[in-house]
Each structure stands twice: as C-alpha cells, then as structure tokens.
Amino acid sequence: MTADVFIPQPMILTDAAAQKVRDLIESEQNPELKLRVYVTGGGCSGFQYGFDFDESVQDDDAVIENSGIKMVVDSMSYQYLVGSTVDYQEGLKGAEFLVKNPNATTTCGCGSSFTI
C-alpha cells in the first residue's frame, strides 16, 4: 500500500495579468519592476491580498514568470497563496487584479480578504 503524496501546484500569473503588468511597467519606464503579491493580516475575513511594484527580489522570494513578466511572492505569503492564480479583469466593477486562491475557505464580498 502506498501513501498519497500531496504536491502543491505552483502559483500562476495569467496572460491578462502579465499584459497589464507589462503595460504598467512601460508607463513607469522602469523595466526592473516586478509585481509583488503578498498577504497581510486584516480585512473583513482575517487576511487580505496586497499588490505592489518592486525592483528587487529577496532571497526567500518565489518568482513566477509569464512572457518575461515576473511576479514575486515572499515566503510567508507564499504558504497562503500556493496553488493560486493571479488574474486581471476589467468589468462593470472596474479594473482589478484578482487572486483565485484554492486555500481560502471563505472570502468576503469584495474578494480582497479571505480565511484559511
């Protein structure tokens, strides 16, 4: 009898998100910028997602790449985000980066906070 081994899937940066990041980097005229995704305490559900631009990559950062665009995630946040997809969409509610997180057990109505 063999034991099932769970191997978490890496994070994904969608083509739409990569293109939006590329557009933003071009408007800033700084090719060193990377999209930093992180998790902080707070929000109505306990944790919330954050997005920022960063020029540097720390030793403990995970680097996810799509079409030459890099997304970086610190090791503390990565444990909550492993298997997630970062997407970008424009719609009636406006334009936003979204995290589709399979680890989230509940999310708030705005989609920016979650619990594990």
Side-chain angles (χ1 to χ4, degrees):
M1 184 163 130
T2 61
D4 290 333
V5 176
F6 174 74
I7 300 173
Q9 297 299 310
M11 289 184 67
I12 296 169
L13 179 66
T14 67
D15 292 343
Q19 184 58 53
K20 184 59 179 180
V21 171
R22 181 183 320 289
D23 294 346
L24 293 169
I25 288 171
E26 288 173 2
S27 72
E28 290 293 319
Q29 299 179 355
N30 183 350
E32 299 302 313
L33 292 175
K34 297 143 192 68
L35 177 66
R36 180 167 292 281
V37 180
Y38 57 92
V39 172
T40 60
C44 51
S45 294
F47 294 103
Q48 59 188 5
Y49 302 112
F51 301 93
D52 204 356
F53 279 109
D54 199 338
E55 292 182 340
S56 63
V57 176
Q58 304 303 316
D59 290 338
D60 67 339
D61 283 344
V63 179
I64 298 89
E65 192 168 342
N66 180 341
S67 303
I69 299 300
K70 293 181 181 176
M71 174 174 69
V72 294
V73 182
D74 65 272
S75 62
M76 185 64 79
S77 297
Y78 191 81
Q79 65 184 330
Y80 298 110
L81 295 171
V82 67
S84 295
T85 299
V86 175
D87 196 8
Y88 177 80
Q89 69 179 21
E90 295 179 1
L92 295 175
K93 296 189 318 184
E96 61 186 345
F97 285 100
L98 298 170
V99 178
K100 297 173 187 166
N101 188 344
N103 306 303
T105 56
T106 59
T107 59
C108 69
C110 67
S112 66
S113 69
F114 66 101
T115 56
I116 297 289

